Amino acid sequence: MGERRFGSFGLATPPARKAIPADEAIALLKRGDAKAGSLLGYGNGRSYGDSCQNDAGMVVDMRPLDRIRSFNAETGVLEAGAGTLLGDIIAHAAPYGFFPAVVPGTQFVTLGGAIANDVHGKNHHRRGTFGCHVEALTLLRSDGRTYRCSQTENVRLFAATIGGMGLTGLILSASIRLMRVPSLDIAEKATRFRDLGEFFDLAEAADQANEYAVAWIDQLARGHGRGRGLLLTGNHAEHGSHAAARAGSRLSVPVQPPFNVLNRPFLTVFNAAYRWKKGKSPVPRQAGYQGFFFPLDGVRDWNRLYGPRGLFQHQSLVPEANARHAVPALLEAARRAGQGSFLTVLKRFGDVRSPALLSFPRPGYTLTLDFPNKGQRTLWLLAELDRITVEAGGAVNPYKDARMGPETFAASFPQWQRLEALRDPAFLSSFWARTAMRLEIGQGRAEAAE
C-alpha cells in the first residue's frame, strides 16, 4: 500500500492496522466472503475522529476509484467514482460554469466520503447538505449484489447510505447535480460584531441576503471583547474567473513537531492578526474560491502543528430557540478549562431537509471548536461540551468525533437504530462499535433482565 497512512485527520487515534485496495475488497464482496465487521471504506482521511477507522477489521482504500465518468454541461449532472476528490470535480466542471452546490471546509474529501458523512457548507440555509444534490449512487454489499440507489430505486438504502458513515456497504460511484455559477470567485464581505448578541441579530438577515455566511469567533477575547468576531458573507462574483487549479498544496508541514505549536500565545497573536486583516474594511472584495472555502488547504498536513498527541474537534448543533444561551455557555466552558481553539466557527443552519436517514445538520446554530489533545483535561472539557449541547436539545457531530459516549450519540441521533437495521453486517467502524454497538448490548442486557 506504499507509504500512505490510513489514519484520521485529528491524529488523536491510531491509524488503521490493515488496509486493502478497493479492487481486492470488491472481489471479496462479490464472492460473498467478507466476514462480519471486517471492512470499512476509507476515502482521503479527512474525518477528525474514528468514523473512518475499523479497529476490529480493515479499511478499504477507495482513492483508486477516482475517474470522472461523465458530465452533462447543460444540466450539471456529473458521475464519478467514489474516490474522486472534490477538488478534481471542481476543476472538471469549472470551465462550463458549474460548481458543487455544497462544499465542506476542504477540497481534499472524496465523493464517497462527502456522501457518507452528508457534509455541509457555508450555504446550508439555501442548499442544505451534500446529500440533497445526490442523484443516484451505486452500492456494493456483502450479499455480492450491486444496488443502484436513488429517490426512486432502493429508497431505504439510499437514505441510509447518505450520512450512513460508510456502514451500508461500499459506495462505488455516484451522480451529483452541480449548480450553475457566474464565476468561481466570491464577492466577500466581512462585518465586525461586538458580541454574540449582535451576531444573532445579524445572522438571519445575512442568510437571506447571501449564498454563503459563516462567523469567526475570537474565542480567547475576554472582558468587553468576549464573543466578538467577524461575520463573513459571500456570493459568486458576476465577473470573475472560471479557472480552477487541481487539488494540491504548495506549502506543507514536512515533519510533526514534538509539541503543540498552536499554543495560547500563538493563538492570541493569530486571532488579533486575523481580525485585523479580515475586518479592516467593510467594503466587499473579490476573493478566489480556494481562499474563501478552503483556507487551510493551502498548507498540507497543517494538523501536524498540534504535535504528536493530535487534536480533538468538537462540533455541536443547538436549536435556534436555545442558541443565545447555549452557544455562550459552550464558549465559556472552554475558557474556564483554559483551552484555546485555533479556529472557532459559528454558522446558522436552515430548514432544508436532507434525504439522509442520519444527518447532523438541522435548523439551529452550529459551533465548531478545535482543541489540542491534552489528555484527560481535554476529555473532561469535551464531555462538558456534550452535556451543554444535549441539555439544549442539540446534537454532536459524529464524523468529527473521537470519544463521545453512547448516551450522547443516542441523544443526538435517537433514530440510530434505523441505520443499524440497514447496516451491512460486513461493515463496521470504530465509532459505531464505541457508540451504537454498546447501546445494542445495553438494551440486550436490559431486555434479558426483564
Side-chain angles (χ1 to χ4, degrees), residues 16-17 32 169 188 196 221 248 264 305-306 318 345 350 359 367 378 416 420 436 439:
R17 290 177 298 203
E188 178 190 49
L196 289 173
R264 194 175 190 88
L305 294 173
Y306 280 91
V318 292
V345 176
S359 186
L367 177 70
T378 308
W416 65 270
E420 172 61 21
L439 290 168

Side-chain angles (χ1 to χ4, degrees), residues 40 50 178 191 339:
L40 182 71
D50 56 1
L178 309 182
T191 303
Q339 299 254 20

Side-chain angles (χ1 to χ4, degrees), residues 93-104:
Y96 304 95
F98 284 93
F99 190 77
V102 174
V103 296

Side-chain angles (χ1 to χ4, degrees), residues 328-353:
L330 289 163
L331 293 171
E332 181 59 28
R335 277 192 288 267
R336 284 199 312 268
Q339 299 254 20
S341 170
F342 173 45
L343 283 179
T344 304
V345 176
L346 182 59
K347 290 187 288 192
R348 181 176 179 269
F349 283 152
D351 58 4
V352 181
R353 188 177 179 85

